[in-house]
Amino acid sequence: WLWQYVYGDNPMGEAAVVFEALQALEAAGIPAAGFVVNAELQYKSPGKWRAARSYMQVLRAEFSDLPIALSSYRFPTLHRDFPWDDFMEFCDLSMPQVYWMQAHNPAAQLDRTLAEYHQLKFRRPVFPTFAAFHEHGWQPTVAEIEEAIAAAKSHNLVGCNWWEWANTKRYLPAGWEVIRRSKAWANPPGHAENEIEPVDPDQPGKATIT
């Protein structure tokens, strides 16, 4: 999977960087399995929805079968000026940043995240990014990392990931061991909204993930 933080000042230029990276991987015989768009503060500026829509339309038109995820805020109700619809219409996954910084309640924060993401116009399977970093004197405990994994599984989510590996290895080696040892799970039975649908040729925004 590739990842790009976007600013929206030059959406076509940012999309061109993605094209080059994906084409380079394809040429090397290691095509990307998916792509993560990381959009945050810069897209809360007035009128930035146009940049979001242009960027996403070009990506989806060029890579109709590539799974695309949006990585952004965990609570949409606190960021109503973010162009959620213009990003999510073209995505296959929601990848909210469920970082419980300065708190110690990952399960409760995931509950709220899911409730709010399920209220978005374009409802996609949720694949949360959990906190596994040290910042401003705060870091999650091993018990909290275990709690986050258990919470994701209890909601029958398709999976989860963590921010971020180098920081975790340096500051949270015991937490990294919990993540490393955690059993993978994919396409669990349960809520339909958390299952990934097969590719529909009439809806290029949908894609299969295995």
Side-chain angles (χ1 to χ4, degrees):
W1 281 67
L2 280 75
W3 169 92
Q4 183 185 43
Y5 191 97
V6 291
Y7 297 86
D9 297 326
N10 180 13
M12 295 303 96
E14 290 179 325
V17 172
V18 180
F19 299 161
E20 292 174 4
L22 291 171
Q23 290 167 355
L25 287 174
E26 185 77 31
I30 46 173
F35 177 68
V36 179
V37 180
N38 185 184
E40 300 179 27
L41 176 65
Q42 292 77 12
Y43 269 93
K44 297 174 72 172
S45 300
K48 275 292 182 75
W49 66 269
R50 297 183 181 87
R53 178 157 290 271
S54 297
Y55 172 82
M56 295 302 298
Q57 283 178 327
V58 169
L59 281 185
R60 183 50 76 194
E62 186 72 19
F63 303 103
S64 60
D65 293 332
L66 183 72
I68 298 177
L70 174 67
S71 173
S72 195
Y73 302 106
R74 67 192 186 279
F75 301 148
T77 58
L78 300 184
H79 304 278
R80 297 184 186 277
D81 46 356
F82 183 86
W84 296 100
D85 293 349
D86 299 287
F87 278 110
M88 292 309 307
E89 180 177 354
F90 303 96
C91 286
D92 304 286
L93 291 171
S94 301
M95 194 174 283
Q97 299 167 11
V98 187
Y99 303 156
W100 55 97
M101 288 184 65
Q102 307 307 323
H104 300 282
N105 58 346
Q109 295 214 24
L110 180 62
D111 288 346
R112 179 177 172 180
T113 296
L114 293 174
E116 294 198 10
Y117 268 75
H118 287 169
Q119 295 303 313
L120 294 178
K121 178 180 179 181
F122 297 100
R123 184 169 169 172
R124 304 296 187 230
V126 175
F127 196 104
T129 300
F130 288 129
F133 56 83
H134 173 95
E135 186 173 304
H136 303 306
W138 176 90
Q139 64 187 41
T141 66
V142 169
E144 290 163 10
I145 289 174
E146 293 172 336
E147 178 183 331
I149 294 171
K153 290 185 175 182
S154 73
H155 283 286
N156 292 319
L157 301 187
V158 294
C160 66
N161 69 350
W162 303 83
W163 181 263
E164 61 83 29
W165 182 76
N167 196 287
T168 308
K169 288 276 286 184
R170 179 175 181 181
Y171 295 105
L172 297 163
W176 166 244
E177 284 302 307
V178 171
I179 296 168
R180 186 180 66 82
R181 294 195 309 267
S182 64
K183 300 295 184 181
W185 73 96
N187 298 325
H191 303 295
E193 65 268 21
N194 289 326
E195 295 176 1
I196 299 177
E197 302 173 4
V199 172
D200 181 345
D202 296 323
Q203 297 187 30
K206 296 288 186 181
T208 298
I209 296 180
T210 57

